[in-house]
Amino acid sequence: MFACQVGEAIFKVASADEGVPVEVELGDQVVRTTGAGPSHYSNAGQWVTSVWLAYVTMNEPLIQRLIAVPEELLRASKEDVPEYLYALAEVIRRFSRSGSSAAEAINAALRATDPAVVPELMRTYALKIVVPVLGIFQEIGDRDSERFNLALEEALVQHREYWTATDEEESDPVGFFALGPLALTVFANAVRIPVTVESEYLPHHVAAGTWPRERGAL
């Protein structure tokens, strides 16, 4: 829960004009601060992570508050972010508003991950992390359990390949869980799509939505 609060706080502070009073909830406390406008923290990658965490906790009000953050604010970040992350963000927005297929946005995101248009250093992440998540989105909208599970399994294979490619990546905590696939697995379970895939990258009680949700649990 704390990680979700931090994610929301980043964009709440970034959305407010500089100096405007802002209250954010962190743990059991309400912290009073002031707006700061866009910063390198309020970038598209952080936004995607924040929404994934909101899905993991199935916090629908938080999901809706995050998808209300405009793309313009994300682009105003000082962080250099590849275009495909903005395209992924749009897929998430479309999906979160309807809970179903976002085919047009998915196709646009797939075009944005074309190796011909992605900077060389970012291609592997695009192909092994982003593209498989788009594959899950393609299937989840149709509520097709078999195809969803095939897409989920493929995403986990690609996740493992990416995060075990080098000793440095294997020891990076970011790769210990497949956050995007995990978030969509939680959603699938919530809407009663049978999930048959099990993986160390999908903690069982979190994926099934049966973990204790007291403050501080996440």
Side-chain angles (χ1 to χ4, degrees), residues 4-140:
C4 291
Q5 292 174 329
V6 171
E8 180 176 22
I10 288 171
F11 292 99
K12 194 170 185 180
V13 170
S15 296
D17 291 335
E18 189 170 349
V20 173
V22 174
E23 291 186 351
V24 297
E25 187 176 359
L26 295 174
D28 293 322
Q29 298 183 334
V30 174
V31 178
R32 293 175 175 81
T33 183
T34 58
S39 72
H40 67 277
Y41 294 110
S42 56
N43 62 72
Q46 179 59 57
W47 183 90
V48 169
T49 296
S50 298
V51 178
W52 287 152
L53 288 170
Y55 266 103
V56 167
T57 59
M58 284 307 292
N59 186 332
E60 181 62 26
L62 175 56
I63 292 169
Q64 295 304 317
R65 288 196 296 272
L66 287 169
I67 68 169
V69 174
E71 181 178 316
E72 291 76 13
L73 187 142
L74 304 183
R75 288 188 179 274
S77 166
K78 300 177 178 65
E79 195 76 3
D80 183 22
V81 173
E83 193 63 28
Y84 61 73
L85 282 183
Y86 294 110
L88 174 60
E90 182 59 21
V91 172
I92 295 171
R93 283 192 187 91
R94 298 272 187 95
F95 178 82
S96 299
R97 289 181 183 125
S98 66
S100 59
S101 177
E104 183 180 339
I106 291 170
N107 289 335
L110 287 170
R111 291 193 294 272
T113 60
D114 185 332
V117 300
V118 176
E120 184 175 359
L121 292 177
M122 301 175 179
R123 288 174 191 165
T124 303
Y125 185 89
L127 295 176
K128 291 191 174 295
I129 302 298
V130 177
V131 171
V133 165
L134 295 174
I136 298 175
F137 270 120
Q138 284 180 314
E139 307 305 340
I140 201 170

